[in-house]
Amino acid sequence: MIDLKKLEVWFITGTQDLYGEETLKQVAIHAEKVAKSLNDNSKISVSVVFKPIVKNTDEIFETLQSANTSENCIGIVTWMHTFSPAKMWIRGLNVLQKPLLHLHTQFNRDIPWDSIDMDFMNLNQSAHGDREFGFMVTRMRKDRKVVVGHWEDEEVATQIDTWCRAAAGWHDWQGAKFVRFGDNMRYVAVTDGDKVEAEMKFGFSVNTYGIGDLVAVINAVDENAIQNLLKEYEETYQIADDLKAGGARHASVYEAAKIELGLRKFLEDGNFKGFSDTFEDLHGMIQLPGIAAQRLMADGYCFAGEGDWKTAALVRACKVMGSGLAGGNAFMEDYTYHFDPANAMVLGSHMLEVDASLASGKASLEVHPLGIGGKEDPARLVFNVAGGDALNASLIDMGNRFRLLVNEVKAVEAEHDLPHLPVARVLWKPLPDMKTGCAAWIYAGGAHHTAYSQNLTTEHLADFANIAGIEYINIGAETKINQFRNELQWNEMFYK
Protein backbone atom coordinates (compact mmCIF):
# COMPACT_ATOMS: atom_id res chain seq x y z
CA MET A 1 0.00 0.00 0.00
CA ILE A 2 1.32 3.43 -0.96
CA ASP A 3 0.84 5.77 2.03
CA LEU A 4 0.37 9.31 0.71
CA LYS A 5 -0.05 10.80 4.20
CA LYS A 6 3.73 10.49 4.69
CA LEU A 7 4.14 13.10 1.96
CA GLU A 8 3.89 16.83 2.61
CA VAL A 9 2.76 19.95 0.83
CA TRP A 10 3.93 23.14 2.47
CA PHE A 11 1.39 25.91 3.06
CA ILE A 12 3.18 29.24 2.54
CA THR A 13 1.42 32.55 3.13
CA GLY A 14 2.69 35.80 1.67
CA THR A 15 2.43 39.22 3.28
CA GLN A 16 4.79 42.15 4.00
CA ASP A 17 6.13 44.26 6.89
CA LEU A 18 4.05 47.30 5.91
CA TYR A 19 1.02 46.41 8.03
CA GLY A 20 2.55 46.38 11.50
CA GLU A 21 2.95 43.75 14.18
CA GLU A 22 -0.70 43.30 15.16
CA THR A 23 -1.86 42.74 11.59
CA LEU A 24 0.95 40.25 10.95
CA LYS A 25 -0.06 38.33 14.07
CA GLN A 26 -3.55 38.04 12.66
CA VAL A 27 -2.20 36.92 9.28
CA ALA A 28 -0.16 34.17 10.96
CA ILE A 29 -3.14 33.00 13.06
CA HIS A 30 -5.38 32.89 10.01
CA ALA A 31 -2.79 31.10 7.87
CA GLU A 32 -2.19 28.45 10.49
CA LYS A 33 -5.92 27.86 10.86
CA VAL A 34 -6.36 27.45 7.09
CA ALA A 35 -3.42 25.03 6.88
CA LYS A 36 -4.72 22.98 9.82
CA SER A 37 -8.20 22.81 8.31
CA LEU A 38 -6.81 21.54 5.01
CA ASN A 39 -4.58 19.04 6.78
CA ASP A 40 -7.52 17.72 8.79
CA ASN A 41 -9.81 17.49 5.77
CA SER A 42 -10.39 13.82 4.92
CA LYS A 43 -10.58 14.68 1.22
CA ILE A 44 -6.91 15.66 1.14
CA SER A 45 -4.66 12.62 0.95
CA VAL A 46 -1.30 14.16 1.93
CA SER A 47 -0.15 16.15 4.95
CA VAL A 48 -0.54 19.92 4.70
CA VAL A 49 2.25 21.55 6.71
CA PHE A 50 1.96 25.14 7.91
CA LYS A 51 5.07 27.24 7.37
CA PRO A 52 5.70 30.63 9.03
CA ILE A 53 4.38 33.54 7.00
CA VAL A 54 6.89 35.13 4.63
CA LYS A 55 7.34 38.91 4.55
CA ASN A 56 10.46 39.65 2.49
CA THR A 57 12.81 38.34 -0.18
CA ASP A 58 15.10 36.46 2.19
CA GLU A 59 12.30 34.64 4.03
CA ILE A 60 10.71 33.63 0.73
CA PHE A 61 13.99 32.39 -0.72
CA GLU A 62 14.94 30.40 2.39
CA THR A 63 11.49 28.76 2.60
CA LEU A 64 11.36 27.76 -1.06
CA GLN A 65 14.96 26.55 -1.00
CA SER A 66 14.11 24.42 2.04
CA ALA A 67 11.15 22.96 0.15
CA ASN A 68 13.53 21.91 -2.62
CA THR A 69 15.74 19.96 -0.23
CA SER A 70 13.03 18.45 1.98
CA GLU A 71 12.72 14.74 1.22
CA ASN A 72 9.02 14.53 2.05
CA CYS A 73 7.90 17.85 0.53
CA ILE A 74 6.22 17.15 -2.81
CA GLY A 75 5.03 20.69 -3.53
CA ILE A 76 4.00 24.04 -2.12
CA VAL A 77 0.65 25.79 -1.77
CA THR A 78 0.88 29.58 -1.75
CA TRP A 79 -1.69 32.13 -0.61
CA MET A 80 -1.35 35.88 -0.36
CA HIS A 81 -3.35 36.86 2.73
CA THR A 82 -2.47 40.53 2.21
CA PHE A 83 -0.67 42.32 -0.57
CA SER A 84 2.79 40.73 -1.00
CA PRO A 85 4.81 42.78 -3.51
CA ALA A 86 5.73 40.15 -6.07
CA LYS A 87 9.27 41.28 -6.83
CA MET A 88 10.06 39.81 -3.40
CA TRP A 89 9.18 36.40 -4.86
CA ILE A 90 11.49 36.46 -7.89
CA ARG A 91 14.60 35.02 -6.23
CA GLY A 92 12.64 32.24 -4.50
CA LEU A 93 10.58 31.33 -7.55
CA ASN A 94 13.76 31.21 -9.64
CA VAL A 95 15.12 28.36 -7.52
CA LEU A 96 11.85 26.55 -6.82
CA GLN A 97 11.98 22.98 -8.12
CA LYS A 98 8.83 21.57 -6.53
CA PRO A 99 5.31 21.77 -8.01
CA LEU A 100 3.31 24.88 -7.17
CA LEU A 101 -0.38 25.35 -6.39
CA HIS A 102 -1.71 28.88 -5.97
CA LEU A 103 -4.76 28.93 -3.67
CA HIS A 104 -6.80 32.05 -4.38
CA THR A 105 -8.90 32.29 -1.24
CA GLN A 106 -9.46 34.59 1.70
CA PHE A 107 -9.91 33.94 5.40
CA ASN A 108 -13.47 35.16 5.67
CA ARG A 109 -16.05 33.63 3.40
CA ASP A 110 -18.54 36.51 3.52
CA ILE A 111 -18.22 40.27 3.64
CA PRO A 112 -19.30 41.52 7.11
CA TRP A 113 -21.65 44.15 5.69
CA ASP A 114 -22.48 45.91 8.95
CA SER A 115 -18.96 46.10 10.38
CA ILE A 116 -16.55 46.24 7.45
CA ASP A 117 -14.02 49.08 7.73
CA MET A 118 -10.56 49.94 6.43
CA ASP A 119 -8.84 47.81 9.08
CA PHE A 120 -10.75 44.80 7.77
CA MET A 121 -9.90 45.76 4.18
CA ASN A 122 -6.18 46.12 4.98
CA LEU A 123 -6.08 42.70 6.62
CA ASN A 124 -8.07 40.78 4.00
CA GLN A 125 -6.48 41.70 0.69
CA SER A 126 -6.27 38.34 -1.06
CA ALA A 127 -8.43 39.61 -3.91
CA HIS A 128 -5.58 41.76 -5.18
CA GLY A 129 -2.64 40.24 -3.30
CA ASP A 130 -3.10 36.97 -5.18
CA ARG A 131 -3.34 38.84 -8.48
CA GLU A 132 0.01 40.53 -7.84
CA PHE A 133 1.56 37.13 -7.11
CA GLY A 134 -0.20 35.58 -10.09
CA PHE A 135 1.27 38.18 -12.42
CA MET A 136 4.80 37.38 -11.32
CA VAL A 137 4.39 33.62 -11.73
CA THR A 138 2.95 34.19 -15.19
CA ARG A 139 5.67 36.75 -16.04
CA MET A 140 8.30 34.19 -15.07
CA ARG A 141 6.56 31.55 -17.25
CA LYS A 142 6.30 29.13 -14.34
CA ASP A 143 3.60 26.51 -14.50
CA ARG A 144 1.27 26.04 -11.55
CA LYS A 145 -2.29 25.12 -10.68
CA VAL A 146 -4.70 27.84 -9.58
CA VAL A 147 -7.59 26.87 -7.29
CA VAL A 148 -10.22 29.51 -6.51
CA GLY A 149 -12.74 29.47 -3.67
CA HIS A 150 -13.12 29.57 0.07
CA TRP A 151 -10.77 27.24 1.93
CA GLU A 152 -13.68 25.49 3.73
CA ASP A 153 -15.40 24.68 0.42
CA GLU A 154 -15.31 20.92 -0.23
CA GLU A 155 -14.89 21.48 -3.96
CA VAL A 156 -11.73 23.45 -3.21
CA ALA A 157 -10.43 20.58 -1.07
CA THR A 158 -11.15 18.12 -3.87
CA GLN A 159 -9.25 20.22 -6.39
CA ILE A 160 -6.32 20.59 -4.01
CA ASP A 161 -6.24 16.84 -3.45
CA THR A 162 -6.30 16.15 -7.19
CA TRP A 163 -3.19 18.31 -7.58
CA CYS A 164 -1.60 16.73 -4.47
CA ARG A 165 -2.05 13.29 -5.99
CA ALA A 166 -0.49 14.43 -9.25
CA ALA A 167 2.41 15.94 -7.31
CA ALA A 168 2.79 12.64 -5.42
CA GLY A 169 2.98 10.74 -8.69
CA TRP A 170 5.64 13.14 -9.94
CA HIS A 171 7.57 12.92 -6.67
CA ASP A 172 7.54 9.13 -6.91
CA TRP A 173 9.19 9.30 -10.35
CA GLN A 174 12.16 11.31 -9.07
CA GLY A 175 15.02 8.86 -8.72
CA ALA A 176 12.77 5.88 -9.46
CA LYS A 177 14.34 2.84 -11.10
CA PHE A 178 12.61 0.56 -13.57
CA VAL A 179 14.14 -2.66 -14.83
CA ARG A 180 13.77 -3.89 -18.40
CA PHE A 181 14.41 -7.61 -18.82
CA GLY A 182 15.68 -7.91 -22.36
CA ASP A 183 15.08 -5.30 -25.03
CA ASN A 184 12.06 -3.93 -26.85
CA MET A 185 9.88 -6.37 -28.80
CA ARG A 186 11.51 -6.62 -32.22
CA TYR A 187 10.48 -4.02 -34.83
CA VAL A 188 7.79 -2.46 -32.59
CA ALA A 189 7.92 1.36 -32.69
CA VAL A 190 5.52 2.89 -30.16
CA THR A 191 6.79 0.94 -27.16
CA ASP A 192 10.35 2.13 -27.78
CA GLY A 193 11.68 5.60 -26.98
CA ASP A 194 14.53 7.75 -25.75
CA LYS A 195 15.43 6.59 -22.25
CA VAL A 196 18.10 9.27 -21.85
CA GLU A 197 15.62 12.04 -22.64
CA ALA A 198 13.09 10.42 -20.33
CA GLU A 199 15.54 10.42 -17.42
CA MET A 200 16.35 14.09 -18.01
CA LYS A 201 12.67 15.02 -18.34
CA PHE A 202 11.01 12.73 -15.80
CA GLY A 203 13.68 11.87 -13.25
CA PHE A 204 13.42 8.08 -13.46
CA SER A 205 15.92 5.65 -14.97
CA VAL A 206 15.34 2.58 -17.11
CA ASN A 207 18.11 0.01 -17.42
CA THR A 208 18.27 -3.41 -18.99
CA TYR A 209 19.19 -6.62 -17.17
CA GLY A 210 19.76 -9.94 -18.84
CA ILE A 211 17.03 -12.50 -18.27
CA GLY A 212 19.73 -14.79 -16.88
CA ASP A 213 20.17 -12.41 -13.95
CA LEU A 214 16.51 -12.93 -13.07
CA VAL A 215 16.57 -16.69 -13.70
CA ALA A 216 19.44 -17.06 -11.22
CA VAL A 217 17.34 -15.40 -8.52
CA ILE A 218 14.27 -17.50 -9.40
CA ASN A 219 16.26 -20.72 -9.16
CA ALA A 220 17.51 -19.78 -5.69
CA VAL A 221 14.03 -19.23 -4.20
CA ASP A 222 13.46 -21.00 -0.86
CA GLU A 223 11.17 -24.02 -0.98
CA ASN A 224 9.29 -23.04 2.18
CA ALA A 225 8.51 -19.64 0.65
CA ILE A 226 7.11 -21.38 -2.44
CA GLN A 227 4.85 -23.62 -0.35
CA ASN A 228 3.57 -20.67 1.68
CA LEU A 229 2.75 -18.75 -1.47
CA LEU A 230 0.95 -21.74 -2.96
CA LYS A 231 -1.25 -21.86 0.14
CA GLU A 232 -1.96 -18.16 -0.30
CA TYR A 233 -3.01 -18.78 -3.90
CA GLU A 234 -5.47 -21.47 -2.81
CA GLU A 235 -6.92 -19.26 -0.08
CA THR A 236 -7.24 -16.17 -2.26
CA TYR A 237 -8.45 -17.37 -5.66
CA GLN A 238 -10.81 -19.85 -7.21
CA ILE A 239 -8.62 -22.74 -8.33
CA ALA A 240 -9.36 -26.12 -9.92
CA ASP A 241 -8.45 -29.27 -8.01
CA ASP A 242 -5.93 -30.45 -10.60
CA LEU A 243 -3.94 -27.23 -10.04
CA LYS A 244 -3.69 -27.77 -6.30
CA ALA A 245 -0.94 -29.74 -4.57
CA GLY A 246 -0.96 -33.31 -5.85
CA GLY A 247 -3.00 -32.38 -8.93
CA ALA A 248 -1.96 -33.30 -12.47
CA ARG A 249 -1.16 -29.70 -13.44
CA HIS A 250 0.13 -28.43 -10.12
CA ALA A 251 3.65 -28.06 -11.54
CA SER A 252 2.55 -25.05 -13.61
CA VAL A 253 1.25 -23.24 -10.52
CA TYR A 254 4.37 -24.21 -8.57
CA GLU A 255 6.57 -22.69 -11.27
CA ALA A 256 4.43 -19.53 -11.33
CA ALA A 257 4.85 -19.10 -7.56
CA LYS A 258 8.61 -19.58 -7.90
CA ILE A 259 8.72 -16.91 -10.62
CA GLU A 260 6.71 -14.48 -8.49
CA LEU A 261 9.01 -14.88 -5.50
CA GLY A 262 12.12 -14.49 -7.67
CA LEU A 263 10.77 -11.41 -9.41
CA ARG A 264 9.74 -9.84 -6.12
CA LYS A 265 13.18 -10.44 -4.63
CA PHE A 266 14.90 -9.02 -7.71
CA LEU A 267 12.77 -5.86 -7.54
CA GLU A 268 13.21 -5.47 -3.79
CA ASP A 269 16.97 -6.04 -3.84
CA GLY A 270 17.44 -3.58 -6.69
CA ASN A 271 15.02 -1.00 -5.24
CA PHE A 272 13.04 -1.07 -8.50
CA LYS A 273 9.47 0.23 -8.70
CA GLY A 274 8.51 -1.83 -11.72
CA PHE A 275 9.60 -3.79 -14.74
CA SER A 276 8.93 -4.80 -18.31
CA ASP A 277 9.83 -7.92 -20.23
CA THR A 278 9.29 -9.43 -23.68
CA PHE A 279 8.34 -12.99 -24.55
CA GLU A 280 11.05 -12.92 -27.26
CA ASP A 281 13.72 -12.83 -24.57
CA LEU A 282 12.89 -15.18 -21.70
CA HIS A 283 15.63 -17.76 -22.16
CA GLY A 284 15.90 -20.00 -19.11
CA MET A 285 12.35 -19.35 -17.85
CA ILE A 286 9.88 -22.22 -17.98
CA GLN A 287 6.81 -20.02 -18.46
CA LEU A 288 5.96 -16.36 -18.94
CA PRO A 289 5.40 -14.39 -15.71
CA GLY A 290 1.60 -14.09 -15.71
CA ILE A 291 0.23 -14.23 -12.19
CA ALA A 292 3.56 -12.87 -10.95
CA ALA A 293 3.12 -9.65 -12.93
CA GLN A 294 -0.53 -9.40 -11.92
CA ARG A 295 0.12 -9.78 -8.20
CA LEU A 296 3.15 -7.49 -8.20
CA MET A 297 1.09 -4.78 -9.87
CA ALA A 298 -1.62 -5.21 -7.25
CA ASP A 299 1.06 -4.48 -4.64
CA GLY A 300 2.02 -1.18 -6.30
CA TYR A 301 4.76 -2.26 -8.69
CA CYS A 302 4.30 -1.37 -12.33
CA PHE A 303 4.52 -3.55 -15.42
CA ALA A 304 4.07 -3.33 -19.16
CA GLY A 305 4.74 -5.99 -21.76
CA GLU A 306 7.08 -6.16 -24.74
CA GLY A 307 9.69 -3.89 -23.23
CA ASP A 308 7.28 -0.94 -22.94
CA TRP A 309 9.01 0.99 -20.17
CA LYS A 310 7.02 4.20 -20.78
CA THR A 311 3.70 2.54 -20.05
CA ALA A 312 5.19 0.72 -17.07
CA ALA A 313 6.32 4.03 -15.58
CA LEU A 314 2.92 5.60 -16.27
CA VAL A 315 1.14 2.69 -14.54
CA ARG A 316 3.31 3.31 -11.47
CA ALA A 317 2.48 7.02 -11.46
CA CYS A 318 -1.23 6.21 -11.76
CA LYS A 319 -1.01 3.76 -8.87
CA VAL A 320 0.55 6.44 -6.68
CA MET A 321 -2.00 9.08 -7.72
CA GLY A 322 -4.88 6.68 -7.11
CA SER A 323 -3.66 5.30 -3.79
CA GLY A 324 -6.49 4.99 -1.29
CA LEU A 325 -9.23 5.64 -3.85
CA ALA A 326 -11.82 3.02 -4.76
CA GLY A 327 -10.87 1.16 -7.92
CA GLY A 328 -7.57 0.22 -9.51
CA ASN A 329 -4.94 1.19 -12.06
CA ALA A 330 -3.43 -1.38 -14.39
CA PHE A 331 -1.57 -2.18 -17.57
CA MET A 332 -4.02 -2.58 -20.45
CA GLU A 333 -4.17 -3.09 -24.19
CA ASP A 334 -6.85 -2.42 -26.79
CA TYR A 335 -7.16 -5.96 -28.06
CA THR A 336 -10.15 -6.33 -30.37
CA TYR A 337 -13.34 -4.51 -31.39
CA HIS A 338 -17.07 -5.15 -31.34
CA PHE A 339 -18.33 -3.07 -34.28
CA ASP A 340 -22.06 -3.58 -33.76
CA PRO A 341 -23.49 -0.18 -34.87
CA ALA A 342 -25.95 -0.27 -31.99
CA ASN A 343 -23.42 -1.31 -29.35
CA ALA A 344 -19.85 -0.66 -30.50
CA MET A 345 -17.13 -1.22 -27.92
CA VAL A 346 -13.55 -2.28 -27.28
CA LEU A 347 -12.41 -5.50 -25.63
CA GLY A 348 -9.37 -4.64 -23.54
CA SER A 349 -7.04 -7.30 -22.22
CA HIS A 350 -3.51 -8.63 -22.44
CA MET A 351 -2.05 -12.09 -22.81
CA LEU A 352 -1.58 -12.60 -19.08
CA GLU A 353 -0.76 -9.47 -17.16
CA VAL A 354 -3.80 -7.31 -16.30
CA ASP A 355 -3.79 -6.30 -12.62
CA ALA A 356 -6.37 -8.10 -10.48
CA SER A 357 -7.05 -4.89 -8.53
CA LEU A 358 -9.54 -4.23 -11.34
CA ALA A 359 -11.40 -7.50 -10.78
CA SER A 360 -15.14 -7.57 -10.35
CA GLY A 361 -15.54 -10.42 -7.87
CA LYS A 362 -13.10 -13.20 -7.04
CA ALA A 363 -10.44 -13.92 -9.65
CA SER A 364 -9.85 -17.45 -10.90
CA LEU A 365 -6.31 -18.88 -11.03
CA GLU A 366 -6.07 -20.87 -14.26
CA VAL A 367 -3.46 -22.53 -16.46
CA HIS A 368 -3.89 -22.59 -20.25
CA PRO A 369 -1.71 -22.76 -23.36
CA LEU A 370 -0.68 -19.36 -24.64
CA GLY A 371 0.13 -20.01 -28.29
CA ILE A 372 2.91 -17.42 -28.31
CA GLY A 373 6.34 -17.24 -26.69
CA GLY A 374 7.27 -20.91 -26.97
CA LYS A 375 7.06 -21.62 -23.23
CA GLU A 376 5.09 -24.03 -21.07
CA ASP A 377 1.49 -23.23 -20.17
CA PRO A 378 1.52 -20.21 -17.83
CA ALA A 379 -0.63 -19.56 -14.76
CA ARG A 380 -2.70 -16.41 -14.77
CA LEU A 381 -5.65 -14.77 -13.01
CA VAL A 382 -8.86 -14.68 -15.05
CA PHE A 383 -11.61 -12.18 -14.26
CA ASN A 384 -14.01 -9.61 -15.61
CA VAL A 385 -13.63 -5.91 -14.87
CA ALA A 386 -16.56 -3.93 -13.49
CA GLY A 387 -18.41 -1.30 -15.48
CA GLY A 388 -18.23 2.42 -14.79
CA ASP A 389 -16.33 5.55 -15.71
CA ALA A 390 -12.68 4.95 -16.52
CA LEU A 391 -9.88 6.28 -18.69
CA ASN A 392 -7.00 5.04 -20.81
CA ALA A 393 -3.72 6.95 -20.82
CA SER A 394 -0.75 6.60 -23.13
CA LEU A 395 2.71 8.17 -22.78
CA ILE A 396 4.21 8.66 -26.24
CA ASP A 397 7.66 9.75 -27.42
CA MET A 398 6.98 12.18 -30.29
CA GLY A 399 10.66 12.71 -31.07
CA ASN A 400 10.85 16.33 -29.94
CA ARG A 401 8.62 15.93 -26.86
CA PHE A 402 6.61 13.49 -24.80
CA ARG A 403 2.83 13.48 -25.15
CA LEU A 404 0.33 12.24 -22.56
CA LEU A 405 -2.83 11.15 -24.37
CA VAL A 406 -5.97 10.39 -22.35
CA ASN A 407 -9.29 8.96 -23.52
CA GLU A 408 -12.28 8.96 -21.22
CA VAL A 409 -14.23 5.71 -21.54
CA LYS A 410 -17.32 4.05 -20.13
CA ALA A 411 -16.68 0.46 -19.08
CA VAL A 412 -19.63 -1.91 -19.43
CA GLU A 413 -20.44 -5.17 -17.70
CA ALA A 414 -19.68 -8.30 -19.71
CA GLU A 415 -22.87 -9.84 -21.10
CA HIS A 416 -21.20 -13.05 -22.31
CA ASP A 417 -19.21 -15.72 -20.48
CA LEU A 418 -16.25 -15.89 -22.94
CA PRO A 419 -15.49 -19.50 -21.92
CA HIS A 420 -12.63 -19.87 -24.41
CA LEU A 421 -10.86 -16.59 -23.55
CA PRO A 422 -8.95 -17.33 -20.31
CA VAL A 423 -7.58 -13.84 -19.67
CA ALA A 424 -8.57 -10.81 -17.65
CA ARG A 425 -10.84 -8.63 -19.76
CA VAL A 426 -12.79 -5.40 -19.77
CA LEU A 427 -15.26 -3.94 -22.25
CA TRP A 428 -15.51 -0.20 -22.75
CA LYS A 429 -17.05 2.43 -24.98
CA PRO A 430 -14.63 5.24 -25.88
CA LEU A 431 -15.99 8.77 -25.55
CA PRO A 432 -17.47 10.56 -27.34
CA ASP A 433 -18.28 7.50 -29.45
CA MET A 434 -16.45 4.52 -30.90
CA LYS A 435 -15.56 6.00 -34.27
CA THR A 436 -14.54 9.44 -33.02
CA GLY A 437 -12.65 8.11 -30.00
CA CYS A 438 -10.65 5.58 -31.99
CA ALA A 439 -9.95 7.98 -34.85
CA ALA A 440 -8.77 10.70 -32.46
CA TRP A 441 -6.52 8.22 -30.66
CA ILE A 442 -4.92 7.20 -33.95
CA TYR A 443 -4.53 10.79 -35.17
CA ALA A 444 -2.72 11.57 -31.90
CA GLY A 445 -0.36 8.59 -32.27
CA GLY A 446 -1.68 6.79 -29.20
CA ALA A 447 -0.14 3.42 -28.33
CA HIS A 448 -1.93 0.08 -28.13
CA HIS A 449 -0.62 -0.22 -24.56
CA THR A 450 -2.17 2.02 -21.92
CA ALA A 451 -2.54 2.66 -18.24
CA TYR A 452 -6.19 1.92 -17.47
CA SER A 453 -7.65 3.72 -14.47
CA GLN A 454 -10.91 3.27 -12.61
CA ASN A 455 -10.27 6.00 -10.03
CA LEU A 456 -8.40 8.86 -11.70
CA THR A 457 -9.94 11.73 -13.62
CA THR A 458 -8.69 13.78 -16.54
CA GLU A 459 -7.89 16.52 -14.02
CA HIS A 460 -5.41 14.23 -12.24
CA LEU A 461 -3.67 13.42 -15.53
CA ALA A 462 -3.74 17.03 -16.76
CA ASP A 463 -2.21 18.24 -13.49
CA PHE A 464 0.43 15.52 -13.76
CA ALA A 465 1.29 16.51 -17.34
CA ASN A 466 1.52 20.17 -16.35
CA ILE A 467 3.87 19.36 -13.46
CA ALA A 468 5.98 17.23 -15.81
CA GLY A 469 6.00 19.99 -18.42
CA ILE A 470 4.76 17.75 -21.23
CA GLU A 471 2.02 17.94 -23.82
CA TYR A 472 -1.45 16.83 -22.69
CA ILE A 473 -4.17 15.73 -25.12
CA ASN A 474 -7.66 14.72 -24.00
CA ILE A 475 -10.32 12.77 -25.89
CA GLY A 476 -13.67 13.12 -24.17
CA ALA A 477 -17.38 13.70 -24.53
CA GLU A 478 -16.95 17.01 -26.35
CA THR A 479 -14.26 15.91 -28.81
CA LYS A 480 -14.88 16.78 -32.48
CA ILE A 481 -12.44 15.37 -35.02
CA ASN A 482 -11.83 18.59 -36.97
CA GLN A 483 -11.21 20.61 -33.81
CA PHE A 484 -9.08 17.80 -32.41
CA ARG A 485 -6.89 17.71 -35.51
CA ASN A 486 -6.51 21.49 -35.32
CA GLU A 487 -5.35 21.17 -31.71
CA LEU A 488 -2.75 18.62 -32.77
CA GLN A 489 -1.49 20.94 -35.51
CA TRP A 490 -1.36 23.95 -33.18
CA ASN A 491 0.59 21.91 -30.65
CA GLU A 492 3.01 20.83 -33.36
CA MET A 493 3.76 24.48 -34.11
CA PHE A 494 4.05 25.34 -30.40
CA TYR A 495 6.59 22.62 -29.71
CA LYS A 496 8.72 23.62 -32.69
Side-chain angles (χ1 to χ4, degrees):
M1 183 65 178
I2 299 164
D3 184 6
L4 297 185
K5 208 63 181 178
K6 293 179 180 178
L7 304 176
E8 300 174 354
V9 294
W10 288 8
F11 191 85
I12 302 170
T13 306
T15 184
Q16 60 176 321
D17 287 314
L18 178 68
Y19 302 106
E21 186 175 345
E22 287 305 312
T23 297
L24 292 178
K25 284 181 180 178
Q26 280 297 108
V27 169
I29 291 170
H30 289 177
E32 188 167 10
K33 184 174 181 179
V34 173
K36 184 179 187 305
S37 174
L38 295 176
N39 184 60
D40 293 343
N41 193 311
S42 61
K43 288 184 178 292
I44 297 181
S45 53
V46 305
S47 296
V48 180
V49 177
F50 168 75
K51 290 294 173 180
I53 61 175
V54 291
K55 307 179 293 299
N56 54 58
T57 299
D58 289 340
E59 291 178 354
I60 293 168
F61 177 83
E62 289 167 6
T63 302
L64 299 192
Q65 186 73 291
S66 295
N68 287 338
T69 58
S70 171
E71 183 178 353
N72 291 330
C73 177
I74 64 171
I76 67 167
V77 175
T78 57
W79 169 46
M80 305 303 116
H81 188 303
T82 63
F83 199 77
S84 180
K87 286 199 287 186
M88 298 192 307
W89 287 85
I90 293 174
R91 185 169 171 236
L93 290 173
N94 266 331
V95 301
L96 180 64
Q97 298 170 343
K98 297 291 176 77
L100 168 63
L101 182 145
H102 181 186
L103 177 58
H104 184 39
T105 189
Q106 63 184 24
F107 185 72
N108 57 297
R109 192 194 73 171
D110 303 323
I111 293 175
W113 305 107
D114 294 335
S115 61
I116 187 171
D117 56 18
M118 284 310 301
D119 288 338
F120 181 93
M121 296 279 277
N122 285 333
L123 176 61
N124 298 282
Q125 297 187 50
S126 302
H128 64 293
D130 276 329
R131 292 169 193 250
E132 164 76 357
F133 177 76
F135 161 76
M136 185 52 66
V137 182
T138 298
R139 174 70 175 78
M140 295 176 70
R141 309 302 197 267
K142 294 189 73 70
D143 199 272
R144 78 286 199 189
K145 179 164 187 171
V146 177
V147 175
V148 179
H150 192 254
W151 49 278
E152 291 180 310
D153 185 342
E154 290 302 299
E155 183 180 350
V156 167
T158 298
Q159 284 188 280
I160 292 173
D161 182 61
T162 296
W163 173 84
C164 288
R165 290 178 175 276
W170 176 251
H171 175 79
D172 184 76
W173 266 9
Q174 306 314 300
K177 298 195 302 179
F178 302 107
V179 56
R180 198 183 194 204
F181 295 113
D183 199 0
N184 194 55
M185 183 179 173
R186 295 171 197 141
Y187 302 111
V188 178
V190 75
T191 54
D192 216 337
D194 189 335
K195 296 191 290 294
V196 174
E197 184 64 26
E199 187 163 354
M200 291 191 295
K201 187 69 178 174
F202 298 134
F204 62 73
S205 63
V206 181
N207 286 291
T208 298
Y209 287 75
I211 196 67
D213 296 336
L214 174 60
V215 170
V217 178
I218 292 172
N219 289 338
V221 168
D222 178 71
E223 179 65 25
N224 288 333
I226 298 173
Q227 295 303 324
N228 289 335
L229 184 54
L230 289 170
K231 291 177 183 177
E232 183 179 335
Y233 286 174
E234 292 191 17
E235 293 169 356
T236 307
Y237 310 112
Q238 297 178 23
I239 181 169
D241 287 340
D242 68 339
L243 297 179
K244 296 177 181 178
R249 295 189 298 153
H250 178 66
S252 295
V253 181
Y254 179 94
E255 188 61 34
K258 189 175 175 182
I259 290 172
E260 178 184 337
L261 291 166
L263 255 173
R264 190 179 296 274
K265 179 172 175 53
F266 194 102
L267 296 174
E268 290 175 351
D269 289 351
N271 196 29
F272 296 109
K273 292 183 176 179
F275 70 104
S276 68
D277 61 22
T278 172
F279 53 78
E280 291 177 320
D281 189 2
L282 289 175
H283 182 70
M285 294 188 68
I286 293 175
Q287 62 177 256
L288 275 70
I291 189 174
Q294 291 176 298
R295 284 172 51 86
L296 284 164
M297 275 191 285
D299 288 340
Y301 289 100
C302 65
F303 170 83
E306 289 103 58
D308 188 356
W309 53 271
K310 297 189 302 299
T311 300
L314 183 59
V315 169
R316 170 66 188 190
C318 289
K319 284 186 172 295
V320 173
M321 286 188 274
S323 179
L325 298 176
N329 293 274
F331 171 54
M332 187 60 68
E333 180 172 87
D334 295 59
Y335 227 100
T336 194
Y337 291 147
H338 185 62
F339 266 138
D340 177 358
N343 190 31
M345 52 189 167
V346 178
L347 173 60
S349 184
H350 204 257
M351 297 182 301
L352 301 171
E353 307 101 343
V354 174
D355 182 353
S357 67
L358 302 181
S360 174
K362 194 173 185 179
S364 173
L365 195 165
E366 301 181 17
V367 175
H368 299 275
L370 192 59
I372 191 170
K375 299 292 181 181
E376 293 185 7
D377 300 349
R380 83 292 299 270
L381 297 175
V382 177
F383 54 87
N384 289 325
V385 175
D389 293 335
L391 56 81
N392 274 305
S394 175
L395 183 61
I396 314 154
D397 187 342
M398 295 295 295
N400 65 337
R401 66 191 185 276
F402 289 97
R403 168 180 288 171
L404 182 58
L405 175 63
V406 177
N407 186 195
E408 299 167 68
V409 304
K410 176 74 74 172
V412 297
E413 298 287 347
E415 298 178 356
H416 304 278
D417 290 336
L418 304 172
H420 301 294
L421 186 66
V423 294
R425 56 272 176 132
V426 56
L427 292 162
W428 69 75
K429 297 174 181 288
L431 297 183
D433 57 72
M434 182 77 164
K435 291 183 178 180
T436 304
C438 292
W441 188 271
I442 290 172
Y443 277 124
H448 54 288
H449 288 169
T450 60
Y452 179 88
S453 179
Q454 295 173 315
N455 55 25
L456 298 180
T457 66
T458 55
E459 188 176 0
H460 289 100
L461 274 296
D463 283 352
F464 183 80
N466 289 336
I467 290 170
I470 62 173
E471 180 186 15
Y472 174 79
I473 300 289
N474 183 73
I475 304 168
E478 304 301 319
T479 296
K480 307 292 183 184
I481 284 295
N482 287 342
Q483 294 174 347
F484 186 80
R485 295 188 71 183
N486 284 339
E487 181 182 350
L488 294 177
Q489 291 171 340
W490 296 332
N491 285 7
E492 201 64 43
M493 294 301 296
F494 175 85
Y495 284 98
K496 284 183 179 177

